[in-house]
Amino acid sequence: MTAVTQTIRNGVDTEKMFATLDLIKDQPELAKFQFRASNRWLGGSHNRSTIKDFHAAGGEDTSRTEAFHIEAGEPAILLGADEGANPAEYLLHALAACLTTTIVYIAAARKVELTSVESMLTGEMDVRGCLGVDDEPRNGFARIGVSFRVTGNAPAEKLREVVERAKQRSAVYDMVTNGVPVAVEVSTD
Amino acid sequence: MTAVTQTIRNGVDTEKMFATLDLIKDQPELAKFQFRASNRWLGGSHNRSTIKDFHAAGGEDTSRTEAFHIEAGEPAILLGADEGANPAEYLLHALAACLTTTIVYIAAARKVELTSVESMLTGEMDVRGCLGVDDEPRNGFARIGVSFRVTGNAPAEKLREVVERAKQRSAVYDMVTNGVPVAVEVSTD
C-alpha cells in the first residue's frame, strides 16, 4: 500500500507517467496523436461540438465511452442568447486548462505536492475587427493576460520554476502564442 | 409581422446587427471588449473554468444571469480519467465555433439563408514535445485541418465566398493562425 500511495502525486500516477515517457522515448512513432472535433450549427450564434475519438500510440483510441458535447453561443450584445460561452472565451479556457494540467504534471514529476492552482485570464478585443467595421484592429485578442496563484509544499522559487517550465511545454500555450497553420476546405453539397 | 420576419435571418436579428455596426462606427470606443475565464485545479488532469462577466460597450456587461462552468480533463493514455475534453480539443472547438458563427453572421448580412453548417476539425500533435521527451517537435498541433460543409439558398460560389470572408474576420481563426502575445504572472501565497 505504501508504494501505491507514493506513486500518486497531485492526482497523477507518476509511475504510469514515467513508463509512458520511457515507452515514447523508445518508440517515437507512438507519439503521433490526432485530436478531433466535429461541429454543427444549431441556429443563430448557437453551435455544438462533439468530441470523442482520437488517434494515439499507433492506433485509434476508443477508451472513451461517452462523447463530450460542448455548446457555444454569444451574449446578447453580440446578437446571441448565451447558448454557451463564446468561442473566444473557449480559447481562454483551453489556455487556462492546458497551462494548469502542465503545471500539475510537471510538479508531480518534480516531487512537488500542490495544494492549489488557480488562474484568471483576460483577453482584450477591439470588436471592430471581427465585426468588419474597421480593418485596423486585429480580429482576435490584442493580448491575453494570465494570472496564476499556485501553492504547494515547495519554496516560491520552485513553484515559479514549475510554472515557467509549463510555459515551455504547454501545447495550447505554444499554439496561442506562436500560431498554427490551418487549412480550410469547403464543400457545398 | 412581415417586417419582423424579414429582420431575422439564420437566427440572427439583422436589424439589430446593422444597428450595432452603425453604433460602433460612430463610437469606436464602444468596441473595446474584455473577455475572461477563471480556472481552478480539481486534482490530476481535472480543472474547471468559470466564465460569466465581461467588459463591453463602455462598461461591465452583466446581462448573463448564469455562469458557464466548463470541465477539462485528459483521456487515460494522457494520465487522466476523461473528466472533460482535453485542452487541445477545446482549442479545436473554439476554432470551429468561431468560424461557424462568423459564417452564419456574414451570410445573414449578405442575405444568404443557410440550411446547414457542419465542420470536422483535426489537429496533428507529436506529443514528444509537450511531454518533454524531445525538443524537436513543437508542443502544440503541427497543423490543423478544417473541413466545412455549408448549404443554403445561394450558389456554391457565394457560399464559398462567405466561408472565405469568415476566415478573414473570425477572432479565433486570427488568434490560432497568427498567435497572440500572452503575459503570465505568478503568485505563490
Side-chain angles (χ1 to χ4, degrees):
Chain A
M1 283 305 290
T2 309
V4 171
T5 305
Q6 287 175 344
T7 189
I8 308 290
R9 190 177 297 116
N10 300 332
V12 181
D13 186 334
T14 56
E15 194 174 312
K16 186 180 170 193
M17 178 166 63
F18 289 120
T20 302
L21 298 179
D22 287 342
L23 184 68
I24 287 175
K25 275 177 204 159
D26 284 350
Q27 301 182 58
E29 69 276 14
L30 297 182
K32 291 190 186 308
F33 280 44
Q34 182 190 67
F35 291 109
R36 305 171 194 137
S38 62
N39 184 282
R40 179 184 292 267
W41 173 52
L42 299 172
S45 64
H46 188 199
N47 61 73
R48 180 185 295 140
S49 290
T50 299
I51 292 173
K52 186 169 184 271
D53 295 335
F54 57 99
H55 179 96
E60 272 302 284
D61 188 303
T62 55
S63 63
R64 282 180 178 157
T65 52
E66 301 278 339
F68 300 110
H69 300 288
I70 307 167
E71 312 287 316
E74 292 289 352
I77 198 167
L78 292 172
L79 310 170
D82 284 324
E83 306 90 344
N86 81 12
E89 290 169 326
Y90 273 109
L91 184 128
L92 295 179
H93 164 64
L95 180 59
C98 195
L99 281 169
T100 297
T101 298
T102 309
I103 287 168
V104 169
Y105 283 20
I106 289 168
R110 295 185 177 189
K111 297 187 167 53
V112 173
E113 289 179 15
L114 298 170
T115 47
S116 71
V117 183
E118 296 166 12
S119 56
M120 176 71 197
L121 285 79
T122 56
E124 314 294 332
M125 187 184 294
D126 185 326
V127 298
R128 286 180 295 165
C130 61
L131 294 180
V133 170
D134 192 320
D135 283 333
E136 192 269 314
R138 69 178 295 177
N139 303 326
F141 294 135
R143 59 194 171 279
I144 293 173
V146 183
S147 180
F148 266 107
R149 180 173 173 270
V150 180
T151 61
N153 74 343
E157 190 183 332
K158 189 153 188 178
L159 294 172
R160 288 176 183 279
E161 285 170 6
V162 168
V163 176
E164 199 51 42
R165 181 66 176 165
K167 286 167 60 183
Q168 294 166 8
R169 287 302 177 190
S170 160
V172 176
Y173 182 83
D174 167 28
M175 291 191 275
V176 170
T177 55
N178 295 315
V180 182
V182 179
V184 179
E185 292 179 346
V186 186
S187 80
T188 58
D189 49 19
Chain B
M1 282 304 288
T2 307
V4 171
T5 304
Q6 286 174 345
T7 190
I8 308 290
R9 190 177 298 116
N10 302 330
V12 181
D13 186 334
T14 56
E15 194 173 313
K16 187 179 170 194
M17 178 167 63
F18 289 120
T20 301
L21 298 179
D22 286 342
L23 185 68
I24 287 176
K25 274 176 205 161
D26 283 350
Q27 302 182 58
E29 68 276 13
L30 298 183
K32 291 190 186 307
F33 280 44
Q34 182 190 68
F35 291 109
R36 304 169 194 139
S38 62
N39 185 283
R40 179 183 294 266
W41 174 52
L42 299 172
S45 63
H46 188 197
N47 61 74
R48 181 184 295 139
S49 290
T50 300
I51 292 174
K52 186 168 183 272
D53 294 336
F54 57 99
H55 179 97
E60 272 301 283
D61 188 303
T62 55
S63 62
R64 281 181 179 156
T65 52
E66 302 278 338
F68 300 109
H69 299 287
I70 306 167
E71 311 287 316
E74 290 290 352
I77 197 167
L78 291 173
L79 309 169
D82 284 324
E83 306 91 343
N86 81 13
E89 290 169 327
Y90 273 109
L91 183 128
L92 294 179
H93 165 64
L95 180 59
C98 195
L99 281 169
T100 297
T101 297
T102 310
I103 287 168
V104 169
Y105 284 19
I106 290 168
R110 295 183 177 190
K111 297 188 167 54
V112 173
E113 288 179 17
L114 298 171
T115 47
S116 71
V117 183
E118 297 165 12
S119 58
M120 175 72 198
L121 284 78
T122 56
E124 314 293 333
M125 186 184 294
D126 185 325
V127 298
R128 287 181 295 168
C130 62
L131 294 179
V133 169
D134 191 319
D135 282 334
E136 192 270 313
R138 69 178 294 177
N139 302 326
F141 293 136
R143 59 193 171 282
I144 293 172
V146 183
S147 181
F148 266 107
R149 180 174 174 271
V150 180
T151 61
N153 74 343
E157 190 183 331
K158 189 154 190 178
L159 294 172
R160 289 176 183 278
E161 284 170 7
V162 168
V163 176
E164 198 52 42
R165 181 66 176 166
K167 286 167 60 182
Q168 293 166 11
R169 286 301 177 192
S170 159
V172 176
Y173 183 83
D174 167 28
M175 292 191 273
V176 170
T177 56
N178 296 316
V180 182
V182 179
V184 179
E185 293 179 345
V186 187
S187 81
T188 57
D189 47 20

